[in-house]
């Protein structure tokens, strides 16, 4: 007896399952994309029911008149990409407005939703099916809540899956510059409890950097967030070695992101605690900085690596995880297989979605990309080109048609 | 009495006409994209019939039931992008095969056409409507002719306009290494006449560089090509200052391309003769080189600048002129307006197509892009993202729908 399938993707030249383990393991998870030649995926009710060689999958499921079959002959098929670090929701869309603190206050929640939707559409068209989205352009109770409520609406209404993060400590707002500790206190005692009360965030993040929040302030905010049940992230060591990565290890954060200036002792501490490095090469590229984060050192130390767009208006306005992969390879010397792992399973771990996303395995959401290339090795080659031809979310073809039968 | 229109694009937030002059002028052509606010374009029979403010255009043409009207409200509209330097036609498509001299001999002309078509589809989807295509992966009479015949077939059958260039002197083939001058003689006396006899090329190009062809050899080939009526291009100063740019000025080449190591005296000679600089930032980026060509010095010296993908399997496998624009701005510090000029009207001049392409003016082909952004200033921002939502070639919508009425 075989189970009926809603969706069948068959005859992938390379099916990169990324199903090499349930957690990022030292080295291994980065190196092995779990390739199946002439691979297939079957899904039912939005969930994957079978993965393997096409012949075996076709034996294990039954086709009905309602089954959509997509022929991926000659094509690479991967999990949908996971973008684990974005500043998705802010107001303003014109170049002139691309400065920090973008007048969130001047826009209604519904406008924020509309702008966020257009950005998600663009990300989805480039193969991203799960996105972490931070607040942080409000910097007041009312505006941070507005941004997170808009984020929640997007999560409820868009095909792309959303992981919401509270980043009230993105910057000290100008009117609080005289008393930054007072702002930190508000974040801890007023904003965080309100965010948690409304269930608006899964993660709390802090921008730990000279000019933003100190190690001491960051520890205070993240500890308060942890006590309230949020999981932790941190912007660490982007412009200078500030101890942020070490703090992430101390607090057991899921990820420390940026890491352009992290000393190797602190990377070793991250490896020890299993903190994922969220690498944001788009910001390095767009800001004309010379030093990409030292991804090769991280791989050697056993730090799990995730890649993200860091989508934001000021320092990395790219929507494309394909570009993050290309920059990860070209700028950071990751191999294509490492970069793919970093953009799928490791990114899913970094946002607490590994049970649902980031690899192709029975029970996971049927989020897939069918590419206009035939192998993982080609992923970074056509940098700047959208090579995601067909995108499937929850077992439904949402972008492109492919050759369906 | 008003003329009927087949196509109307109306209400562009910014219509960048690039119609600021018929030749690249010092400074001016680079700086002024000829913006019309609330702009419109009308076309009939594939040619532009009117350009200007929407109200004025609507008064000057008549709509019929057959008129397609595209509402570009809130959007930037530009001419179709012109990619003036690509190695479009070669065999092999897998990463492993991405080496020089890609087994052109092993593939039939029809395979080359099929591969070329897929690449042109990808370029078109990213907003490119005119492409220069060089031979140079054959390096024998038979294979160079095969590549150029495939290129001619593509030009006759694809929406993207093709400008064919003979680059028999791309490299000295391995079997001729002992007698490179003998190969140069074959290029001049056998291959060039055959190419011209069949009408297979408009341009002749030479890779002038240590390890490829010397100044003397390059002069011999380009002079022979000029005598046969071909126009001239040269790969100059990519890896070292070899005198190639100066030779381009001496011979009156339409463009000298690469120029990563060109001394300023040679740039001044190019400015003097009006030789366009073909800038290829994708190669600098992909090869991890540190030095982009000094575009700012060129602008100051009055060298007309064009941007190109340099699409080729080894050093710049990007299909996207949007990426060339982004790299031109981020890597070379061009302004968005300069980069757009470089990717349209100046590129059209560099491939001898300025009468047809590169700007929006009555009589030119109706090749347009409607963008998912509202201003020229935003063109480089979303680097790596395809923001070309609707592409129109010869007055027909070939990519995307837009909001048609």
């Amino acid at each position: 007896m075989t189970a009926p399938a809603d969706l069948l993707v068959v005859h992938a030249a390379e099916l990169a399952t990324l199903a090499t383990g349930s957690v990022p393991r030292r080295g291994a998870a980065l190196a092995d994309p779990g390739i199946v030649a002439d691979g297939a995926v079957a899904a039912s009710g939005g969930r994957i029911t079978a993965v393997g060689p096409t012949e075996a999958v076709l034996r294990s499921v039954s086709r009905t008149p309602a089954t959509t079959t997509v022929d991926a002959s000659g094509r690479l098929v991967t999990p949908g990409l996971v973008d684990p670090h974005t500043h998705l929701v802010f107001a303003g869309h014109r170049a002139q407005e691309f400065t920090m603190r973008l007048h969130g206050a001047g826009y209604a929640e519904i406008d924020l939703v509309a702008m966020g939707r257009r950005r998600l559409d663009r990300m989805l068209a480039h193969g991203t099916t799960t996105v972490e989205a931070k607040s942080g352009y409000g910097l007041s109770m009312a505006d941070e809540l507005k941004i997170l409520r808009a984020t929640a609406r997007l999560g409820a209404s868009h095909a792309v899956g959303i992981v919401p993060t509270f980043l009230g400590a993105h910057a000290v707002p100008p009117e609080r510059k005289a008393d930054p500790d007072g702002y930190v206190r508000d974040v801890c005692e007023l904003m965080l409890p309100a965010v948690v009360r409304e269930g608006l965030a899964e993660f709390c993040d802090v921008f730990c950097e000279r000019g933003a929040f100190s190690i001491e302030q960051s520890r205070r905010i993240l500890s308060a967030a942890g006590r309230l049940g949020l999981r932790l992230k941190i912007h660490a060591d982007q412009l200078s070695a500030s101890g942020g990565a070490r703090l992430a290890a101390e607090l057991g954060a899921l990820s420390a992101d940026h890491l352009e200036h992290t000393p190797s002792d602190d990377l070793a501490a991250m490896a020890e605690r299993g903190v994922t490095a969220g690498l944001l090469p788009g910001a390095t590229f767009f800001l004309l900085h010379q030093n990409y984060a030292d991804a090769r050192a991280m791989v050697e130390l056993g730090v799990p690596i995730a890649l993200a767009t860091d989508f934001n208006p000021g320092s990395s306005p790219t929507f494309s995880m394909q570009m993050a992969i290309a920059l990860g390879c070209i700028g950071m010397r990751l191999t294509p297989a490492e970069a793919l792992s970093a953009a799928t399973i490791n990114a899913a771990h970094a946002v607490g979605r590994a049970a649902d996303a980031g690899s192709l395995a029975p029970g996971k959401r049927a989020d897939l990309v069918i590419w206009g290339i035939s192998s993982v090795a080609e992923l970074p080659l056509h940098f700047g080109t959208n090579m995601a031809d067909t995108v499937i979310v929850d077992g439904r073809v949402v972008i492109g048609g492919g050759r369906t039968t």
Side-chain angles (χ1 to χ4, degrees), chain A:
Chain A
M1 203 163 118
T2 58
D6 303 336
L7 174 84
L8 273 167
V9 176
V10 296
H11 296 309
E14 285 191 2
L15 179 74
T17 63
L18 281 301
T20 47
S22 63
V23 295
R25 291 169 297 149
R26 296 200 177 187
L30 285 169
D32 180 7
I35 299 292
V36 178
D38 191 10
V41 177
S44 181
R47 295 278 163 174
I48 295 172
T49 53
V51 179
T54 297
E55 265 195 52
V57 168
L58 289 178
R59 274 198 307 270
S60 75
V61 300
S62 57
R63 284 198 247 200
T64 73
T67 305
T68 300
T69 303
V70 183
D71 178 2
S73 292
R75 308 293 186 114
L76 169 69
V77 175
T78 72
L81 304 180
V82 178
D83 190 345
H85 182 134
T86 85
H87 303 258
L88 179 72
V89 179
F90 56 87
H93 59 284
R94 291 182 304 166
Q96 299 91 308
E97 293 177 274
F98 282 161
T99 53
M100 284 289 281
R101 200 154 187 239
L102 285 134
H103 325 297
Y107 287 76
E109 186 183 318
I110 195 168
D111 299 320
L112 294 174
V113 172
M115 285 184 266
R117 181 166 292 129
R118 285 196 292 274
R119 293 171 193 148
L120 287 172
D121 288 347
R122 198 69 67 174
M123 290 171 173
L124 181 65
H126 289 74
T128 300
T129 54
T130 302
V131 166
E132 187 255 19
K134 304 177 195 296
S135 69
Y137 285 102
L139 305 184
S140 70
M141 171 78 107
D143 289 332
E144 286 293 307
L145 289 177
K146 183 162 66 178
I147 288 169
L148 288 171
R149 287 180 195 129
T151 305
R153 282 215 213 178
L154 287 166
S157 62
H158 201 282
V160 171
I162 308 272
V163 180
T165 294
F166 171 62
L167 178 60
H170 194 192
V172 178
E175 68 276 15
R176 309 294 296 271
K177 284 285 184 201
D179 179 23
D181 280 323
Y183 182 68
V184 169
R185 200 164 47 241
D186 283 2
V187 168
C188 294
E189 298 176 9
L190 302 177
M191 293 161 79
L192 266 170
V195 166
V196 170
R197 206 159 38 235
E198 278 196 50
L200 290 172
E202 296 179 36
F203 284 85
C204 178
D205 193 350
V206 172
F207 187 34
C208 177
E209 188 73 57
R210 216 177 305 160
F213 297 91
S214 69
I215 285 289
E216 205 28 71
Q217 292 169 328
S218 300
R219 184 185 284 112
R220 225 177 298 153
I221 293 165
L222 292 174
S223 300
R227 283 193 297 273
L228 290 166
L230 297 183
R231 293 200 270 190
L232 310 180
K233 290 181 166 290
I234 188 165
H235 282 65
D237 306 318
Q238 179 183 12
L239 306 171
S240 60
S242 64
R246 180 168 290 277
L247 180 65
E250 173 194 322
L251 298 176
L254 244 72
S255 79
D257 296 5
H258 273 301
L259 309 178
E260 285 84 348
H261 291 85
T262 307
S264 70
D265 278 3
D266 293 8
L267 293 178
M270 285 177 61
E272 190 61 40
R273 282 296 299 268
V275 179
T276 295
L279 302 183
L280 314 175
T284 308
F285 172 72
F286 192 69
L287 294 173
L288 306 167
H289 292 169
Q290 296 309 308
N291 58 313
Y292 286 97
D294 192 351
R296 290 254 54 90
M298 295 175 197
V299 171
E300 266 154 54
L301 286 164
V303 181
I305 285 176
L307 280 165
T309 59
D310 190 19
F311 170 74
N312 77 78
S315 64
S316 189
T318 184
F319 295 107
S320 174
M321 279 296 290
Q322 295 176 58
M323 191 69 210
I325 289 170
L327 288 167
C329 294
I330 296 166
M332 293 177 161
R333 318 293 175 102
L334 292 173
T335 67
E338 288 170 340
L340 178 61
S341 296
T344 53
I345 184 63
N346 285 12
H349 279 290
V351 297
R353 284 291 189 278
D356 267 344
S359 69
L360 302 177
K364 289 206 179 190
R365 302 181 87 89
D367 297 348
L368 294 89
V369 180
I370 303 175
W371 299 90
I373 50 178
S374 58
S375 69
V376 169
E378 292 166 77
L379 271 174
L381 278 185
H382 305 293
F383 61 95
T385 311
N386 183 8
M387 303 301 290
D389 286 345
T390 303
V391 183
I392 294 167
V393 174
D394 290 341
R396 289 183 308 113
V397 176
V398 291
I399 298 285
R403 283 161 288 178
T404 59
T405 56

